[in-house]
Amino acid sequence: MDQKIDYSKRAFAYYPTDAIVVSRYVDGKWTAPEVTDNFNLTLNCFAGVFHYAPSCFEGLKAYRGCDGRIRLFRPLENAKRMIRSAAYIDMEAPSEELFMEACMLCVKANIDYLPPYESGASLYLRPTLFGMNPQLGINSPKDVMFVVMSSGVGTYGGGKLLTPTNAVISRNYDRAATHGSGGYKLGANYAQSLHAYNLAHKMGYRELLFLDTATHSRIEEFGSSNFFAIKDGAYITPDSTSVLPSITNMSLRELAPEFGLRVERRVIPVEELASVDEAGSCGTAVVINPLYRIDDKKRLEDTDVVRSFNIGTPEKCGRFSEMLYHRMVGIQKGLEEDTYNWCVFVD
């Protein structure tokens, strides 16, 4: 490994590390997690993951704190969410204990790639679970593989932190059906949004905001993260079973009262964007990405914008978004007291 890596210039992308951690569920039991430097997994071409997409994943980060200690942020919540996602497709999932053990092993095996505190970067962990037994026919897998991998990453998109960006609303492409799988972190949900996301990026938009599939009148979430806004002293975010329950969003809701904000999980009509004080996306990779404009079109491919919702300015992040961001990052990096006991230390 090059010890002179400048993590401050890295984007949120794949960078090689030394090892992954693998465990398999075969014949009704899990194997002990194995640390290996072989990143090439061997699977039968009839493995269910290639045909019916029985797969789910998680994303969390390891941080090197200002005190030199290494922290994982709320990893038990990731373990619970993976178990929930796997249950939705009737696939065996690792226990909370196995999930935590594998994540710890992965951090320790790749400790040389954990960015220094001063860089502002982190070691991103990607626990992944998928069906591996050969099969024909639409059935849940009986054998599964659990893999934890990592990558030393910089800021999401490689840009300056808390720099407001733009977004566009998707009306003719949906992310998840009203009674579908959107509330679970399945790989198939992200495949569903790829074409629309590519279109949005080609047209110069950083984010793509999806609406409910039933009426296309209510805000759901971005393709990569949850939606939140600040309005009249309240932190508001959609309440919908087809929105992924973001651990970052959950944490921001718990922090919001510290700054005198009420928390409202409710239906948010698109038209309400005209009256919000701040808006942004939130998730593990970005924490908070503030928005200054959201365009609305009849079709994503159209060059004509029907209306634009201008929120703040492109030069400055909103006051509450900035305070929430620094409070959360402060906890993650040991700068502020973790009064919620969210962090788990890697010894």
Side-chain angles (χ1 to χ4, degrees), residues 179-191:
H179 301 293
S181 62
Y184 305 89
K185 201 167 178 65
L186 308 181
N189 291 340
Y190 293 82

Side-chain angles (χ1 to χ4, degrees), residues 73-74 81 226 235 245-255 281-288 328 332:
F73 185 71
R74 308 195 76 172
R81 192 169 63 180
N226 276 192
Y235 177 101
S246 161
I247 296 166
T248 301
N249 194 347
M250 176 176 65
S251 302
L252 292 172
R253 293 197 305 269
E254 294 181 49
L255 291 173
S281 62
C282 60
T284 299
V286 69
V287 183
I288 286 178
M328 179 172 289
Q332 292 169 339

Side-chain angles (χ1 to χ4, degrees), residues 55-130:
S55 68
C56 58
F57 67 95
E58 282 297 322
L60 65 156
K61 290 179 178 178
Y63 304 85
R64 196 183 297 275
C66 60
D67 54 3
R69 301 189 70 184
I70 300 168
R71 293 166 170 82
L72 291 174
F73 185 71
R74 308 195 76 172
L76 188 57
E77 295 299 329
N78 292 95
K80 293 176 180 177
R81 192 169 63 180
M82 173 166 275
I83 292 170
R84 180 174 174 270
S85 295
Y88 180 78
I89 51 178
D90 292 328
M91 183 168 66
E92 189 67 27
S95 65
E96 295 175 6
E97 293 76 16
L98 176 55
F99 184 98
M100 295 287 287
E101 180 183 3
C103 287
M104 292 285 190
L105 286 172
C106 188
V107 173
K108 293 176 181 179
N110 297 291
I111 198 72
D112 289 341
Y113 296 86
L114 182 66
Y117 163 75
E118 296 80 9
S119 69
S122 57
L123 185 70
Y124 182 83
L125 303 185
R126 172 55 59 82
T128 304
L129 182 71
F130 54 87

Side-chain angles (χ1 to χ4, degrees), residues 225-288:
S225 45
N226 276 192
F227 171 90
F228 79 95
I230 307 297
K231 178 183 177 181
D232 299 333
Y235 177 101
I236 64 174
T237 194
D239 184 14
S240 170
T241 57
S242 56
V243 169
L244 181 73
S246 161
I247 296 166
T248 301
N249 194 347
M250 176 176 65
S251 302
L252 292 172
R253 293 197 305 269
E254 294 181 49
L255 291 173
E258 291 188 13
F259 303 100
L261 294 170
R262 304 185 313 279
V263 175
E264 299 178 3
R265 294 185 69 192
R266 58 175 174 82
V267 170
I268 304 177
V270 174
E271 288 71 20
E272 194 169 350
L273 289 172
S275 60
V276 301
D277 303 311
E278 303 175 27
S281 62
C282 60
T284 299
V286 69
V287 183
I288 286 178

Side-chain angles (χ1 to χ4, degrees), residues 169-241:
I169 292 172
S170 175
R171 288 190 176 273
N172 56 317
Y173 294 97
D174 295 325
R175 176 186 172 273
T178 301
H179 301 293
S181 62
Y184 305 89
K185 201 167 178 65
L186 308 181
N189 291 340
Y190 293 82
Q192 175 78 5
S193 66
L194 287 176
H195 178 62
Y197 239 131
N198 291 337
L199 286 173
H201 288 161
K202 288 177 183 177
M203 301 183 81
Y205 294 100
R206 168 72 178 274
E207 277 292 358
L208 180 62
L209 182 59
F210 289 96
L211 307 179
D212 73 291
T213 59
T215 68
H216 286 165
S217 65
R218 304 188 298 268
I219 292 172
E220 290 273 272
E221 67 176 319
F222 296 99
S224 65
S225 45
N226 276 192
F227 171 90
F228 79 95
I230 307 297
K231 178 183 177 181
D232 299 333
Y235 177 101
I236 64 174
T237 194
D239 184 14
S240 170
T241 57

Side-chain angles (χ1 to χ4, degrees), residues 259-328:
F259 303 100
L261 294 170
R262 304 185 313 279
V263 175
E264 299 178 3
R265 294 185 69 192
R266 58 175 174 82
V267 170
I268 304 177
V270 174
E271 288 71 20
E272 194 169 350
L273 289 172
S275 60
V276 301
D277 303 311
E278 303 175 27
S281 62
C282 60
T284 299
V286 69
V287 183
I288 286 178
N289 178 44
L291 297 169
Y292 72 89
R293 191 184 78 242
I294 302 177
D295 287 345
D296 194 5
K297 303 179 179 183
K298 289 184 178 180
R299 292 173 52 83
L300 189 56
E301 297 90 343
D302 294 345
T303 55
D304 293 336
V305 175
V306 175
R307 56 183 171 175
S308 290
F309 299 99
N310 295 301
I311 307 162
T313 69
E315 292 81 22
K316 184 173 176 57
C317 174
R319 180 169 66 97
F320 285 106
S321 296
E322 184 173 4
M323 289 191 297
L324 286 166
Y325 173 87
H326 286 298
R327 176 66 172 122
M328 179 172 289

